[in-house]
PDB file of all heavy atoms in Angstrom:
ATOM      1  N   VAL Y 107     -37.239 158.502 138.475  1.00  0.00           N
ATOM      2  CA  VAL Y 107     -37.847 158.645 137.079  1.00  0.00           C
ATOM      3  C   VAL Y 107     -36.932 157.836 136.166  1.00  0.00           C
ATOM      4  O   VAL Y 107     -37.338 156.968 135.361  1.00  0.00           O
ATOM      5  CB  VAL Y 107     -38.056 159.928 136.602  1.00  0.00           C
ATOM      6  CG1 VAL Y 107     -38.554 159.991 135.269  1.00  0.00           C
ATOM      7  CG2 VAL Y 107     -39.123 160.679 137.470  1.00  0.00           C
ATOM      8  N   GLU Y 108     -35.636 158.086 136.213  1.00  0.00           N
ATOM      9  CA  GLU Y 108     -34.594 157.438 135.376  1.00  0.00           C
ATOM     10  C   GLU Y 108     -34.672 155.880 135.594  1.00  0.00           C
ATOM     11  O   GLU Y 108     -34.614 155.145 134.737  1.00  0.00           O
ATOM     12  CB  GLU Y 108     -33.241 158.063 135.670  1.00  0.00           C
ATOM     13  CG  GLU Y 108     -32.022 157.313 134.943  1.00  0.00           C
ATOM     14  CD  GLU Y 108     -30.691 157.780 135.627  1.00  0.00           C
ATOM     15  OE1 GLU Y 108     -30.603 158.904 135.871  1.00  0.00           O
ATOM     16  OE2 GLU Y 108     -29.863 156.770 135.724  1.00  0.00           O
ATOM     17  N   LEU Y 109     -34.717 155.539 136.923  1.00  0.00           N
ATOM     18  CA  LEU Y 109     -34.697 154.063 137.152  1.00  0.00           C
ATOM     19  C   LEU Y 109     -35.891 153.390 136.635  1.00  0.00           C
ATOM     20  O   LEU Y 109     -35.886 152.295 135.972  1.00  0.00           O
ATOM     21  CB  LEU Y 109     -34.560 153.854 138.693  1.00  0.00           C
ATOM     22  CG  LEU Y 109     -33.295 154.031 139.358  1.00  0.00           C
ATOM     23  CD1 LEU Y 109     -33.356 153.889 140.815  1.00  0.00           C
ATOM     24  CD2 LEU Y 109     -32.236 153.105 138.736  1.00  0.00           C
ATOM     25  N   VAL Y 110     -37.098 154.004 136.843  1.00  0.00           N
ATOM     26  CA  VAL Y 110     -38.337 153.337 136.316  1.00  0.00           C
ATOM     27  C   VAL Y 110     -38.318 153.192 134.874  1.00  0.00           C
ATOM     28  O   VAL Y 110     -38.762 152.176 134.156  1.00  0.00           O
ATOM     29  CB  VAL Y 110     -39.562 154.109 136.733  1.00  0.00           C
ATOM     30  CG1 VAL Y 110     -40.765 153.693 136.043  1.00  0.00           C
ATOM     31  CG2 VAL Y 110     -39.684 153.969 138.325  1.00  0.00           C
ATOM     32  N   ASP Y 111     -37.754 154.217 134.147  1.00  0.00           N
ATOM     33  CA  ASP Y 111     -37.606 154.129 132.667  1.00  0.00           C
ATOM     34  C   ASP Y 111     -36.547 153.049 132.237  1.00  0.00           C
ATOM     35  O   ASP Y 111     -36.660 152.517 131.141  1.00  0.00           O
ATOM     36  CB  ASP Y 111     -37.200 155.529 132.174  1.00  0.00           C
ATOM     37  CG  ASP Y 111     -38.279 156.555 132.207  1.00  0.00           C
ATOM     38  OD1 ASP Y 111     -39.543 156.084 132.466  1.00  0.00           O
ATOM     39  OD2 ASP Y 111     -38.087 157.762 132.141  1.00  0.00           O
ATOM     40  N   ARG Y 112     -35.572 152.857 133.030  1.00  0.00           N
ATOM     41  CA  ARG Y 112     -34.473 151.963 132.648  1.00  0.00           C
ATOM     42  C   ARG Y 112     -34.871 150.475 132.964  1.00  0.00           C
ATOM     43  O   ARG Y 112     -34.520 149.620 132.194  1.00  0.00           O
ATOM     44  CB  ARG Y 112     -33.248 152.201 133.452  1.00  0.00           C
ATOM     45  CG  ARG Y 112     -32.417 153.465 132.960  1.00  0.00           C
ATOM     46  CD  ARG Y 112     -31.326 153.727 133.883  1.00  0.00           C
ATOM     47  NE  ARG Y 112     -30.413 152.593 134.080  1.00  0.00           N
ATOM     48  CZ  ARG Y 112     -29.538 152.490 135.020  1.00  0.00           C
ATOM     49  NH1 ARG Y 112     -29.358 153.435 135.931  1.00  0.00           N
ATOM     50  NH2 ARG Y 112     -28.825 151.383 135.159  1.00  0.00           N
ATOM     51  N   ILE Y 113     -35.634 150.158 133.987  1.00  0.00           N
ATOM     52  CA  ILE Y 113     -35.917 148.839 134.465  1.00  0.00           C
ATOM     53  C   ILE Y 113     -36.969 148.169 133.578  1.00  0.00           C
ATOM     54  O   ILE Y 113     -38.051 148.755 133.422  1.00  0.00           O
ATOM     55  CB  ILE Y 113     -36.211 148.899 135.979  1.00  0.00           C
ATOM     56  CG1 ILE Y 113     -35.196 149.378 136.751  1.00  0.00           C
ATOM     57  CG2 ILE Y 113     -36.643 147.429 136.386  1.00  0.00           C
ATOM     58  CD1 ILE Y 113     -35.580 149.552 138.261  1.00  0.00           C
ATOM     59  N   ASP Y 114     -36.702 147.058 133.089  1.00  0.00           N
ATOM     60  CA  ASP Y 114     -37.690 146.264 132.268  1.00  0.00           C
ATOM     61  C   ASP Y 114     -38.536 145.412 133.117  1.00  0.00           C
ATOM     62  O   ASP Y 114     -38.197 144.181 133.388  1.00  0.00           O
ATOM     63  CB  ASP Y 114     -36.839 145.510 131.178  1.00  0.00           C
ATOM     64  CG  ASP Y 114     -37.848 144.634 130.366  1.00  0.00           C
ATOM     65  OD1 ASP Y 114     -38.978 145.111 130.193  1.00  0.00           O
ATOM     66  OD2 ASP Y 114     -37.450 143.759 129.644  1.00  0.00           O
ATOM     67  N   TYR Y 115     -39.557 146.043 133.693  1.00  0.00           N
ATOM     68  CA  TYR Y 115     -40.409 145.411 134.696  1.00  0.00           C
ATOM     69  C   TYR Y 115     -41.777 145.899 134.492  1.00  0.00           C
ATOM     70  O   TYR Y 115     -42.079 147.052 134.364  1.00  0.00           O
ATOM     71  CB  TYR Y 115     -39.971 145.572 136.107  1.00  0.00           C
ATOM     72  CG  TYR Y 115     -40.710 144.803 137.098  1.00  0.00           C
ATOM     73  CD1 TYR Y 115     -40.403 143.534 137.381  1.00  0.00           C
ATOM     74  CD2 TYR Y 115     -41.831 145.266 137.761  1.00  0.00           C
ATOM     75  CE1 TYR Y 115     -41.171 142.693 138.314  1.00  0.00           C
ATOM     76  CE2 TYR Y 115     -42.522 144.565 138.658  1.00  0.00           C
ATOM     77  CZ  TYR Y 115     -42.168 143.263 138.947  1.00  0.00           C
ATOM     78  OH  TYR Y 115     -42.888 142.538 139.905  1.00  0.00           O
ATOM     79  N   PRO Y 116     -42.863 145.004 134.501  1.00  0.00           N
ATOM     80  CA  PRO Y 116     -44.224 145.386 134.294  1.00  0.00           C
ATOM     81  C   PRO Y 116     -44.830 145.935 135.645  1.00  0.00           C
ATOM     82  O   PRO Y 116     -45.720 145.333 136.290  1.00  0.00           O
ATOM     83  CB  PRO Y 116     -44.958 144.029 133.809  1.00  0.00           C
ATOM     84  CG  PRO Y 116     -44.193 142.999 134.547  1.00  0.00           C
ATOM     85  CD  PRO Y 116     -42.712 143.443 134.630  1.00  0.00           C
ATOM     86  N   PHE Y 117     -44.418 147.099 135.979  1.00  0.00           N
ATOM     87  CA  PHE Y 117     -44.865 147.665 137.312  1.00  0.00           C
ATOM     88  C   PHE Y 117     -46.444 147.741 137.296  1.00  0.00           C
ATOM     89  O   PHE Y 117     -47.014 147.304 138.310  1.00  0.00           O
ATOM     90  CB  PHE Y 117     -44.198 149.087 137.450  1.00  0.00           C
ATOM     91  CG  PHE Y 117     -42.736 149.210 137.668  1.00  0.00           C
ATOM     92  CD1 PHE Y 117     -41.871 149.506 136.678  1.00  0.00           C
ATOM     93  CD2 PHE Y 117     -42.320 148.819 138.934  1.00  0.00           C
ATOM     94  CE1 PHE Y 117     -40.460 149.381 136.949  1.00  0.00           C
ATOM     95  CE2 PHE Y 117     -40.958 148.805 139.261  1.00  0.00           C
ATOM     96  CZ  PHE Y 117     -39.988 149.184 138.237  1.00  0.00           C
ATOM     97  N   GLU Y 118     -46.988 148.461 136.316  1.00  0.00           N
ATOM     98  CA  GLU Y 118     -48.411 148.715 136.421  1.00  0.00           C
ATOM     99  C   GLU Y 118     -49.199 147.404 136.272  1.00  0.00           C
ATOM    100  O   GLU Y 118     -50.260 147.160 136.938  1.00  0.00           O
ATOM    101  CB  GLU Y 118     -48.854 149.674 135.316  1.00  0.00           C
ATOM    102  CG  GLU Y 118     -48.355 151.050 135.587  1.00  0.00           C
ATOM    103  CD  GLU Y 118     -49.031 152.116 134.762  1.00  0.00           C
ATOM    104  OE1 GLU Y 118     -50.020 151.785 134.150  1.00  0.00           O
ATOM    105  OE2 GLU Y 118     -48.595 153.231 134.754  1.00  0.00           O
ATOM    106  N   GLU Y 119     -48.743 146.415 135.560  1.00  0.00           N
ATOM    107  CA  GLU Y 119     -49.428 145.122 135.308  1.00  0.00           C
ATOM    108  C   GLU Y 119     -49.422 144.375 136.723  1.00  0.00           C
ATOM    109  O   GLU Y 119     -50.312 143.521 136.989  1.00  0.00           O
ATOM    110  CB  GLU Y 119     -48.823 144.326 134.275  1.00  0.00           C
ATOM    111  CG  GLU Y 119     -49.025 144.840 132.924  1.00  0.00           C
ATOM    112  CD  GLU Y 119     -48.002 145.895 132.433  1.00  0.00           C
ATOM    113  OE1 GLU Y 119     -47.323 146.344 133.389  1.00  0.00           O
ATOM    114  OE2 GLU Y 119     -47.908 146.231 131.309  1.00  0.00           O
ATOM    115  N   THR Y 120     -48.287 144.605 137.494  1.00  0.00           N
ATOM    116  CA  THR Y 120     -48.131 143.790 138.797  1.00  0.00           C
ATOM    117  C   THR Y 120     -48.860 144.545 139.898  1.00  0.00           C
ATOM    118  O   THR Y 120     -49.559 143.887 140.696  1.00  0.00           O
ATOM    119  CB  THR Y 120     -46.669 143.666 139.137  1.00  0.00           C
ATOM    120  OG1 THR Y 120     -46.067 143.086 137.897  1.00  0.00           O
ATOM    121  CG2 THR Y 120     -46.453 142.806 140.356  1.00  0.00           C
ATOM    122  N   PHE Y 121     -48.691 145.867 140.024  1.00  0.00           N
ATOM    123  CA  PHE Y 121     -49.176 146.578 141.211  1.00  0.00           C
ATOM    124  C   PHE Y 121     -50.319 147.520 140.871  1.00  0.00           C
ATOM    125  O   PHE Y 121     -50.975 148.030 141.773  1.00  0.00           O
ATOM    126  CB  PHE Y 121     -48.046 147.411 141.716  1.00  0.00           C
ATOM    127  CG  PHE Y 121     -46.810 146.675 142.092  1.00  0.00           C
ATOM    128  CD1 PHE Y 121     -45.634 146.831 141.355  1.00  0.00           C
ATOM    129  CD2 PHE Y 121     -46.868 145.737 143.152  1.00  0.00           C
ATOM    130  CE1 PHE Y 121     -44.493 146.106 141.585  1.00  0.00           C
ATOM    131  CE2 PHE Y 121     -45.553 145.079 143.419  1.00  0.00           C
ATOM    132  CZ  PHE Y 121     -44.400 145.217 142.646  1.00  0.00           C
ATOM    133  N   GLY Y 122     -50.555 147.729 139.575  1.00  0.00           N
ATOM    134  CA  GLY Y 122     -51.610 148.714 139.257  1.00  0.00           C
ATOM    135  C   GLY Y 122     -50.963 150.108 139.102  1.00  0.00           C
ATOM    136  O   GLY Y 122     -49.953 150.345 139.522  1.00  0.00           O
ATOM    137  N   ALA Y 123     -51.784 150.885 138.284  1.00  0.00           N
ATOM    138  CA  ALA Y 123     -51.184 152.204 138.071  1.00  0.00           C
ATOM    139  C   ALA Y 123     -51.190 153.047 139.385  1.00  0.00           C
ATOM    140  O   ALA Y 123     -52.124 152.979 140.150  1.00  0.00           O
ATOM    141  CB  ALA Y 123     -52.109 152.904 137.043  1.00  0.00           C
TER     142      ALA Y 123
END
Side-chain angles (χ1 to χ4, degrees):
V107 174
E108 175 192 321
L109 283 177
V110 170
D111 288 343
R112 285 173 55 195
I113 298 172
D114 183 16
Y115 186 84
F117 289 102
E118 293 195 9
E119 291 85 344
T120 305
F121 306 109

